[in-house]
Amino acid sequence: MDKKRFEVVFSQLTKRRKEVLLKFLENKTDSEIAKYLQITQSTVRKHIEEICKIFGFENDFVDERRSKRRDLYALFAKFKPELLDVSIGDTKSLEELNCLNKSNTFNFKLDNLHIDLTTLFKTARLLQIDTSTVNQIKECIDKSYPVLNEINNRQEELLRLQTKEKQGNLNWIDKQKMNKIVPSLSDKDKQRLFAKHLGISENDVENFYRVAPVKKEVFIKICSILNLTWEQVVDLNFLKTLILLVPQVRSQYANKIVDLCGKLHILYCSKPIEMDDLYVDVNILNQPASYQWLDLSEIPPIYDQETHEFDRFRLGQVNQPRVDGFFAVETYDNLMVLGKPGSGKSTFLKRIALQCNEQQIQMDRVPIFINLKAFADFSKTIGTFDLFKYIIRDLDSCGIKEEIILCNLLEHGRVMLLLDGLDEVSKNNNDEVIKCIDRFYKQYFKNKYIISCRIAAHKYKFSNFRDIEIADFSKEQINIFARNWFTAIDKNIQNGIIKSQKFIEQLQLPENSQLLDIAVTPILLTLTCLAFQTKLEFPSNISTLYKRGIEALLIKWDEAKGVKRTNVYGKLSLENKIELLTYIAAKKFEISRYFFKKDEIKQDIVDYFSSLYDYNENNLATLLQDSRLVLESIEIQHGLLVERAQEIYSFSHLTFQEYFTARKVKTLINNSDSTIIKYIENFGDERWREVFSLVADMDWNFEQLQFLKKQIDEFMKNDESSELEDVILWVVNKSDLNKFETKYQPATIRAFYLSLALEMIFDASSVRNINLSLACDIDKNFEQDLQKGNTAINNLFTAKEFDLGIDLMLVEKIIFTSLGIPIKNVSLPNCRDCDSQLNQALIELENEVPNLLKSQEIEYSGEFLENLRNIAIKYRKIGYYWLFSDEKQENKLKQYYYAHKFLVKCLKNAEDNQNITVAMKRQIQQDLFLPWNKL
């Protein structure tokens, strides 16, 4: 680009882009520009990318990620150096600097790099003092105004108090003051004084003092108060490393970082996805949740006894704010990134590497990404664990062959080392890898280190590392991930957005609360998106999705990373692992326990192993030791059990505890185990609703369905009271097909009348429509007829099911009247096939209403209701109040109803999956709702 073209392009920039550009040319960071212009950092990045394109700086290849910012900077050094605050005489040096940075040949001897010092200074964002000037600086600090002034003030105050003491006027407060006054100042005191005097942070002054990099403006401020010029004390080798070496190495190493980190390999996906297309900014917890000390009584309940609903998100809720992940990277020196399996730890580290590579964060460092398992395997092969040599080998593959280059970078703290997957290192190599990292850190402590590890595997505490935990996705992050996922997979942005909107809408429906519960980690959210992707709806058999999610955590995730676990738990088969988790989950769920102490879980593991292997009392110590290792392994390897607070555990998601409990129920049925009868008592209990829903979604065959039907009948046979059977006898007599004609199945009619009986028995204060779902579940024709018009009664009359329509209308009017709900009329609809005698009695009752209203309105309600009931009983044998001797009988009738609702759902699932024929289904249905003592 020539000067004339440059001026034209520059003049055509929008006002906002010029504002961003000018701040960029002042060497401001993206965050500083965003803060100054009150826009987001992503907006700043987009503006700079567009400006680069406008001036002709675009990458040669679509997937090339080398930043063009330095090219842009050099262009302005050539044509508009005044915007860089650099004199015309410096322009040549800047051009030389740019040529050096773009060169593929390294002149690694810093002393041989002859670039104008002023040019280096203008370009630098950070400066640090030369170690040879430390004593000189200490002398200048001691002679500086803030220090001398403070010493003088202290001495004057001490002299004043000593004078008062001689005069005998020293009070108790003055004596305390005098004892605290120290005439001299510590280094910390001096740093505090400087910070206050200059209006900067104490941390900046401390870094300056201990030969660590500080911002250029801070460096100059401190030098000015010490009456020094920056040239006198600056570390020239640091400056050359920062301005010359870092950009060169980063540029040469950039494609390696893109190759290692640019694509995400997704479980169950045939091809990788671009990081930029899918990544969602993560939040972190400043303190891992498991570090807090709580008692079980301090953990809030997750099941509401009044609403009968689970607060599924509360299971993993933490009482601390979430912090943006990149804020933590920029704020803290060294990080140990912890998280559950599949929580996004590796992806986060890869994203950090890419962002650093593109100079979005830590722009004065070179990112080096190392998979610790690969490092350990390589080191084991060659017989030595040496991180320095491993990095040299990595750099050599990119044409960076001189060791002194890495030495310069490390000695000046210009490397950001990202060490991924400490938990994936085999047990045999783990200690060696930790020692190696520790040695390397202690030798090159000035650099930035970020290590990732599963939270339960984190045992060794590296000094000066801050532990943070990847937080579960918020609902907003779930929405963003879904949008990114579907647009990345579909390759059509508009179609992807439409699909993601449908996904989010369905995921947020109350009936999908279990799916939302597990969709808070990337791995499980990915599986949820995959399940939705094909048909744009969630599978009807949702338990299959949970099964795949659990298998992904138990086996697939480690397999995909090539990780093998070798301990007592690792030797268990997949089936044994599932059985163990099923044992723990069901045992706790049955007693309404969702959080449990570590010792409880260990005992459960002991009990399971005792049933699995032949342990005796002599093996007890071994068994207890194994239980500890197993618990640790469950948490480390797949995170299905997690530590919520110190020694307090729960399943990672309530949905998984429910799924494993459902497996226990289904296993009992599969094995024709009569102890299943105790679970029938839980039918109708809202706490068990999702468990039985999952059981119904599992695979069923004819023999299992027969066994379940038999156990429901056995459950009712155990009751000695005749009250429950009286209700069923009434249902059977009322459903006698010899008394009326109908196109529906006998079981449908019996389900219809059982539902009406239940409406009369139980409190219907919140019911506006009578629940006929059981009959609908049995008979599709009945369900279709009920959906054709406005009301169920009109629909039944339209379908010419007059007997059913009349009985439904009578029960509805009785219930509405008992609740004080207004009814329009009492008489039957005008139809030729209606019961004329019944209708005449209802018309007469309706005619009495005005007279009753004139007299006693309160008595009217009760009298009218009883008259209406008597008419219904007389003419239709319906409207009875079924009275039970105790609440237990009422509950048992509810359990009977919901057990059949469950059985019908299982029958439908088996038929849909072609596990049974229509004839098999009808064979079981023909015996539904019959007196159990006659079966």
Side-chain angles (χ1 to χ4, degrees):
M1 179 179 288
D2 58 21
K3 174 75 172 175
K4 185 177 179 181
R5 176 60 183 160
F6 172 86
E7 292 292 351
V8 171
V9 173
F10 182 71
S11 65
Q12 291 176 347
L13 290 177
T14 64
K15 180 183 176 183
R16 175 58 85 188
R17 283 184 179 162
K18 276 189 179 178
E19 290 174 338
V20 172
L21 176 60
L22 292 174
K23 289 296 172 187
F24 163 73
L25 295 173
E26 292 174 15
N27 263 324
K28 300 296 183 185
T29 64
D30 289 358
S31 61
E32 289 170 337
I33 298 172
K35 186 176 181 181
Y36 181 82
L37 297 177
Q38 296 185 328
I39 55 179
T40 65
Q41 289 188 52
S42 61
T43 303
V44 172
R45 291 195 291 270
K46 287 177 183 175
H47 277 308
I48 296 176
E49 286 171 11
E50 289 303 315
I51 293 168
C52 287
K53 288 180 184 178
I54 290 168
F55 280 101
F57 298 122
E58 292 191 77
N59 288 318
D60 299 327
F61 304 101
V62 174
D63 61 348
E64 188 181 358
R65 295 177 182 240
R66 190 173 72 81
S67 175
K68 295 295 182 179
R69 292 183 177 210
R70 190 165 292 280
D71 297 339
L72 181 66
Y73 195 89
L75 183 68
F76 274 82
K78 181 178 180 180
F79 292 130
K80 275 194 177 292
E82 66 275 11
L83 297 181
L84 280 66
D85 192 26
V86 179
S87 64
I88 296 296
D90 293 325
T91 303
K92 185 179 178 183
S93 295
L94 276 169
E95 289 175 350
E96 291 174 3
L97 172 61
N98 188 52
C99 290
L100 274 169
N101 287 337
K102 293 170 71 174
S103 171
N104 290 333
T105 305
F106 288 96
N107 186 348
F108 59 87
K109 293 182 179 178
L110 295 178
D111 292 339
N112 293 339
L113 294 177
H114 299 297
I115 298 295
D116 182 76
L117 183 58
T118 303
T119 303
L120 292 176
F121 176 76
K122 296 291 185 183
T123 310
R125 293 178 59 254
L126 301 173
L127 297 172
Q128 75 176 32
I129 63 172
D130 194 298
T131 53
S132 64
T133 66
V134 171
N135 290 333
Q136 179 188 356
I137 287 171
K138 285 183 177 180
E139 290 175 8
C140 291
I141 288 173
D142 291 339
K143 295 176 183 178
S144 66
Y145 169 77
V147 171
L148 292 176
N149 186 56
E150 177 66 17
I151 291 174
N152 185 57
N153 289 340
R154 291 189 182 190
Q155 288 175 345
E156 286 182 357
E157 179 66 7
L158 184 58
L159 183 60
R160 184 184 70 82
L161 293 173
Q162 286 172 344
T163 303
K164 284 184 74 174
E165 185 179 31
K166 288 178 182 179
Q167 295 172 349
N169 296 328
L170 194 69
N171 58 33
W172 181 82
I173 296 175
D174 287 338
K175 189 173 183 179
Q176 291 291 106
K177 283 183 181 179
M178 190 171 71
N179 290 335
K180 289 181 180 178
I181 293 176
V182 179
S184 60
L185 296 178
S186 66
D187 287 343
K188 197 70 179 174
D189 290 334
K190 294 170 187 176
Q191 291 167 18
R192 179 178 51 78
L193 285 169
F194 267 81
K196 185 176 181 182
H197 184 78
L198 295 173
I200 58 179
S201 72
E202 290 184 36
N203 189 54
D204 281 337
V205 179
E206 182 183 355
N207 285 339
F208 178 89
Y209 195 78
R210 64 181 178 91
V211 196
V214 296
K215 289 182 180 178
K216 179 166 64 179
E217 54 269 30
V218 170
F219 191 92
I220 293 170
K221 271 186 178 183
I222 297 174
C223 285
S224 65
I225 198 71
L226 296 176
N227 293 319
L228 294 168
T229 63
W230 63 268
E231 295 96 335
Q232 289 176 278
V233 293
V234 73
D235 185 339
L236 185 56
N237 281 339
F238 171 82
L239 199 53
K240 288 180 178 180
T241 300
L242 184 69
I243 305 304
L244 303 177
L245 202 55
V246 168
Q248 278 190 283
V249 175
R250 187 164 50 209
S251 176
Q252 194 83 352
Y253 192 64
N255 288 337
K256 182 73 175 247
I257 287 292
V258 172
D259 183 61
L260 289 172
C261 307
K263 295 181 185 293
L264 298 174
H265 295 269
I266 306 296
L267 207 59
Y268 298 115
C269 286
S270 59
K271 59 182 180 179
I273 298 175
E274 289 286 340
M275 169 77 78
D276 284 348
D277 292 342
L278 191 59
Y279 184 77
V280 176
D281 287 337
V282 302
N283 291 326
I284 60 101
L285 306 175
N286 270 326
Q287 176 181 311
S290 61
Y291 287 13
Q292 58 187 333
W293 286 93
L294 292 175
D295 190 73
L296 278 175
S297 60
E298 297 177 86
I299 297 177
I302 64 168
Y303 182 72
D304 191 319
Q305 296 288 348
E306 294 184 3
T307 63
H308 303 294
E309 294 293 338
F310 283 106
D311 185 350
R312 294 178 179 273
F313 270 85
R314 183 175 287 181
L315 191 69
Q317 196 172 12
V318 291
N319 297 318
Q320 57 172 302
R322 296 166 177 235
V323 179
D324 177 72
F326 284 109
F327 173 82
V329 172
E330 294 283 34
T331 303
Y332 308 128
D333 290 335
N334 303 303
L335 294 174
M336 175 63 74
V337 179
L338 304 171
K340 300 188 289 287
S343 59
K345 302 178 296 298
S346 295
T347 303
F348 181 45
L349 261 65
K350 289 179 179 180
R351 184 66 171 181
I352 293 169
L354 289 171
Q355 292 290 88
C356 182
N357 201 37
E358 297 169 8
Q359 300 181 63
Q360 303 300 316
I361 60 170
Q362 296 289 311
M363 60 180 63
D364 296 306
R365 284 193 164 104
V366 176
I368 295 177
F369 183 91
I370 293 176
N371 179 292
L372 285 175
K373 180 182 180 298
F375 165 68
D377 292 345
F378 174 80
S379 301
K380 187 74 172 176
T381 302
I382 65 173
T384 179
F385 288 78
D386 190 325
L387 205 48
F388 183 89
K389 288 184 178 178
Y390 189 80
I391 296 171
I392 284 293
R393 176 176 169 272
D394 207 32
L395 293 175
D396 182 72
S397 67
C398 301
I400 307 168
K401 299 182 180 298
E402 302 292 341
E403 287 191 12
I404 196 169
I405 294 171
L406 180 58
C407 288
N408 278 322
L409 290 172
L410 290 170
E411 286 170 4
H412 291 99
R414 295 303 92 206
V415 170
M416 178 163 66
L417 195 57
L418 300 136
L419 304 171
D420 182 43
L422 182 59
D423 59 282
E424 295 171 6
V425 176
S426 69
K427 187 177 180 181
N428 294 335
N429 297 332
N430 189 260
D431 288 346
E432 286 295 335
V433 169
I434 287 173
K435 289 176 185 176
C436 180
I437 295 171
D438 206 34
R439 285 195 305 269
F440 191 87
Y441 167 72
K442 287 173 180 175
Q443 183 172 357
Y444 301 111
F445 61 89
K446 290 184 178 181
N447 299 276
K448 189 174 190 72
Y449 296 80
I450 302 178
I451 305 173
S452 74
C453 182
R454 292 184 182 181
I455 191 164
H458 178 46
K459 304 299 180 188
Y460 183 81
K461 295 287 186 181
F462 292 95
S463 59
N464 298 319
F465 274 69
R466 186 182 186 101
D467 292 353
I468 61 173
E469 181 181 355
I470 299 281
D472 286 344
F473 275 169
S474 64
K475 290 182 180 180
E476 181 183 3
Q477 287 171 309
I478 291 172
N479 294 349
I480 295 170
F481 182 96
R483 185 189 63 211
N484 293 350
W485 168 270
F486 287 105
T487 53
I489 294 296
D490 198 88
K491 297 300 182 185
N492 181 303
I493 294 177
Q494 195 58 40
N495 288 345
I497 290 172
I498 292 170
K499 288 179 180 180
S500 69
Q501 288 173 343
K502 289 181 179 179
F503 173 85
I504 292 162
E505 286 171 6
Q506 290 197 33
L507 188 64
Q508 292 176 344
L509 294 174
E511 58 264 33
N512 290 325
S513 61
Q514 282 185 302
L515 283 175
L516 188 59
D517 169 40
I518 68 169
V520 293
T521 59
I523 183 175
L524 295 174
L525 182 52
T526 298
L527 289 174
T528 309
C529 290
L530 280 166
F532 184 86
Q533 184 178 317
T534 306
K535 297 182 179 179
L536 295 186
E537 61 182 23
F538 294 113
S540 56
N541 190 345
I542 209 72
S543 65
T544 302
L545 175 58
Y546 301 145
K547 182 181 178 182
R548 290 189 73 177
I550 287 166
E551 285 180 354
L553 292 172
L554 282 172
I555 295 179
K556 301 291 185 184
W557 195 237
D558 273 350
E559 282 184 350
K561 294 192 170 192
V563 177
K564 294 182 179 179
R565 312 286 182 178
T566 55
N567 57 25
V568 63
Y569 182 69
K571 294 174 184 176
L572 288 177
S573 66
L574 174 61
E575 189 58 36
N576 285 148
K577 291 176 182 178
I578 291 174
E579 281 181 4
L580 171 60
L581 291 164
T582 297
Y583 177 78
I584 296 169
K587 184 176 179 180
K588 299 305 179 188
F589 193 87
E590 287 168 19
I591 56 174
S592 305
R593 292 285 304 282
Y594 315 105
F595 297 94
F596 10 87
K597 292 183 178 180
K598 184 175 184 177
D599 287 343
E600 292 180 68
I601 301 299
K602 286 170 62 178
Q603 186 58 51
D604 290 339
I605 294 169
V606 167
D607 293 343
Y608 174 77
F609 271 75
S610 297
S611 66
L612 195 63
Y613 302 113
D614 185 19
Y615 281 96
N616 54 46
E617 291 186 7
N618 296 329
N619 302 128
L620 185 60
T622 303
L623 190 55
L624 289 171
Q625 175 68 11
D626 286 349
S627 71
R628 182 184 64 80
L629 294 174
V630 168
L631 178 56
E632 288 178 1
S633 299
I634 292 172
E635 192 179 4
I636 291 169
Q637 293 177 28
H638 43 68
L640 289 169
L641 281 173
V642 295
E643 194 172 14
R644 298 296 187 185
Q646 287 289 306
E647 300 199 349
I648 293 180
Y649 285 77
S650 79
F651 278 85
S652 57
H653 306 281
L654 175 63
T655 297
F656 287 153
Q657 188 176 0
E658 290 172 323
Y659 173 80
F660 284 120
T661 304
R663 283 194 86 266
K664 166 75 177 294
V665 174
K666 185 62 169 62
T667 301
L668 291 174
I669 294 171
N670 294 351
N671 296 336
S672 300
D673 191 328
S674 60
T675 58
I676 187 63
I677 203 164
K678 72 174 185 179
Y679 288 95
I680 296 175
E681 295 178 0
N682 298 312
F683 284 111
D685 184 341
E686 286 295 313
R687 197 175 66 83
W688 284 78
R689 180 183 60 208
E690 298 298 343
V691 171
F692 289 126
S693 178
L694 289 168
V695 178
D697 277 344
M698 294 176 178
D699 286 335
W700 291 84
N701 60 37
F702 184 62
E703 290 74 21
Q704 292 165 359
L705 292 164
Q706 282 186 312
F707 174 74
L708 175 60
K709 171 67 171 68
K710 180 182 177 182
Q711 292 306 305
I712 294 172
D713 293 334
E714 288 295 327
F715 174 73
M716 299 304 289
K717 282 180 183 179
N718 293 337
D719 187 78
E720 297 179 356
S721 170
S722 62
E723 296 168 347
L724 296 177
E725 194 158 15
D726 288 345
V727 176
I728 301 304
L729 285 171
W730 173 83
V731 167
V732 172
N733 292 331
K734 193 75 178 86
S735 307
D736 188 349
L737 298 187
N738 295 321
K739 296 178 182 178
F740 62 90
E741 293 182 2
T742 180
K743 60 184 175 182
Y744 303 130
Q745 301 174 35
T748 307
I749 305 303
R750 293 196 292 272
F752 174 84
Y753 282 110
L754 177 61
S755 298
L756 296 190
L758 289 170
E759 295 290 346
M760 293 296 297
I761 293 168
F762 299 111
D763 180 17
S765 58
S766 61
V767 176
R768 302 290 298 219
N769 295 301
I770 291 174
N771 185 354
L772 299 173
S773 61
L774 179 57
C776 291
D777 291 342
I778 293 172
D779 197 324
K780 288 182 180 178
N781 292 327
F782 181 81
E783 183 180 27
Q784 289 169 0
D785 287 343
L786 237 57
Q787 294 173 346
K788 288 180 179 178
N790 294 329
T791 67
I793 295 169
N794 289 340
N795 293 338
L796 287 171
F797 280 124
T798 302
K800 300 188 182 304
E801 296 287 344
F802 299 112
D803 287 288
L804 301 184
I806 292 169
D807 288 342
L808 178 59
M809 186 195 74
L810 288 171
V811 170
E812 185 179 273
K813 291 183 186 298
I814 291 169
I815 291 174
F816 280 17
T817 303
S818 68
L819 296 174
I821 299 173
I823 53 177
K824 292 181 180 179
N825 52 55
V826 181
S827 57
L828 299 173
N830 186 19
C831 62
R832 289 175 299 170
D833 297 295
C834 292
D835 190 321
S836 57
Q837 290 183 328
L838 168 64
N839 199 31
Q840 183 59 40
L842 292 173
I843 291 170
E844 291 175 4
L845 177 61
E846 195 172 51
N847 292 334
E848 294 176 9
V849 170
N851 296 326
L852 289 167
L853 281 172
K854 287 177 187 176
S855 55
Q856 301 172 2
E857 186 174 355
I858 297 175
E859 281 77 12
Y860 141 72
S861 179
E863 183 182 343
F864 179 84
L865 177 60
E866 283 307 307
N867 289 339
L868 179 60
R869 281 188 63 248
N870 289 335
I871 291 171
I873 292 169
K874 178 179 178 180
Y875 292 99
R876 300 294 304 175
K877 300 291 188 279
I878 201 167
Y880 296 105
Y881 283 148
W882 302 95
L883 301 176
F884 295 96
S885 55
D886 57 42
E887 190 178 346
K888 181 181 177 183
Q889 296 298 307
E890 288 187 8
N891 288 335
K892 196 151 190 177
L893 184 59
K894 274 187 182 179
Q895 292 157 359
Y896 176 80
Y897 171 84
Y898 283 107
H900 276 85
K901 213 167 159 50
F902 170 73
L903 174 59
V904 169
K905 187 177 179 182
C906 296
L907 283 166
K908 181 180 183 303
N909 177 49
E911 184 185 25
D912 290 345
N913 292 331
Q914 299 182 349
N915 292 333
I916 61 171
T917 63
V918 174
M920 289 175 177
K921 177 183 174 183
R922 288 184 176 171
Q923 182 181 334
I924 293 175
Q925 283 184 343
Q926 70 183 6
D927 288 336
L928 296 180
F929 318 114
L930 293 176
W932 40 88
N933 289 326
K934 297 182 181 180
L935 289 173

